[in-house]
Amino acid sequence: MISNERLIYLLENRPVMEKALATIFGEFFQENIHVVKKFSELPSPVPKNSVYLLAVHLLPPDVKIPTSSDGAASLVYGEKFTSNCLHWWHERGALGLWDLQDGFDEIRNHLGDMVNGGTFRSKSVDLVHRTSEPRFGMHILSRRELQVAMLISQGNSTEEVELPIVTGK
């Protein structure tokens, strides 16, 4: 057991994954794990001493995830992390990044380190991290730059994308 005082939130909408993760995390935490299906259902403000297990496919791209400055530890998990994706969530404060292809033992063996303030990258995520270039990619875009890029990638013309007018002072 890691702590009997932590609040655990699992953001997951796949029943099989929910059950598997709740079983694994139940080994570490005595408390009930609060499962939510949408990011908007997570508590605000962030409870102190909490742990967030966040499925990357349910995270809006411009969301602020709970971080250690909020008194929380966040683990973002998904499948086949790209360089952009892992840098994106690392820059936003995720203490842990777990690629599901690395299996459940990977998280089982390292969850305690992450919950106690350390960082965790599963084997596949670490390999991508070691071979990536963090100075390039979508993770360095501002919120507005990301919005514009998303609109253009969805087929909108530059005329259709409302750009703010910048005026000098």
Side-chain angles (χ1 to χ4, degrees):
M1 294 291 161
I2 293 174
S3 167
N4 59 2
E5 299 177 12
R6 295 195 188 274
L7 296 170
I8 313 303
Y9 297 94
L10 172 61
L11 175 64
E12 181 57 71
N13 65 352
R14 299 169 290 187
V16 172
M17 285 300 297
E18 176 186 327
K19 182 173 176 136
L21 293 173
T23 300
I24 288 171
F25 297 125
E27 295 171 12
F28 291 94
F29 305 105
Q30 293 176 358
E31 305 82 4
N32 291 331
I33 297 173
H34 307 281
V35 179
V36 297
K37 310 277 187 219
K38 297 178 186 173
F39 186 81
S40 61
E41 296 172 354
L42 290 170
S44 182
V46 174
K48 298 290 183 199
N49 205 25
S50 55
V51 178
Y52 286 77
L53 312 162
L54 307 168
V56 73
H57 72 277
L58 295 175
L59 293 171
D62 59 350
V63 72
K64 180 190 178 311
I65 63 172
T67 64
S68 55
S69 63
D70 299 318
S74 286
L75 168 76
V76 175
Y77 65 92
E79 298 171 272
K80 298 185 180 172
F81 276 82
T82 64
S83 173
N84 280 335
C85 188
L86 75 92
H87 289 295
W88 178 266
W89 295 113
H90 176 72
E91 296 266 332
R92 279 147 185 78
L95 289 180
L97 296 168
W98 173 41
D99 195 315
L100 293 172
Q101 70 183 342
D102 292 328
F104 292 109
D105 285 340
E106 183 81 7
I107 190 62
R108 186 179 278 123
N109 295 334
H110 297 283
L111 183 62
D113 296 336
M114 189 212 68
V115 168
N116 291 317
T119 59
F120 164 70
R121 288 191 297 257
S122 67
K123 292 175 187 172
S124 296
V125 172
D126 192 52
L127 177 63
V128 172
H129 183 262
R130 285 186 280 117
T131 59
S132 67
E133 177 52 67
R135 295 178 296 155
F136 304 104
M138 70 179 208
H139 62 281
I140 62 172
L141 297 176
S142 70
R143 182 181 201 144
R144 181 61 184 150
E145 289 168 334
L146 179 64
Q147 289 171 341
V148 170
M150 288 174 62
L151 289 168
I152 289 173
S153 71
Q154 293 169 353
N156 294 292
S157 70
T158 53
E159 291 80 24
E160 293 171 313
V161 177
E162 292 184 31
L163 298 175
I165 299 173
V166 178
T167 58
K169 290 189 176 188

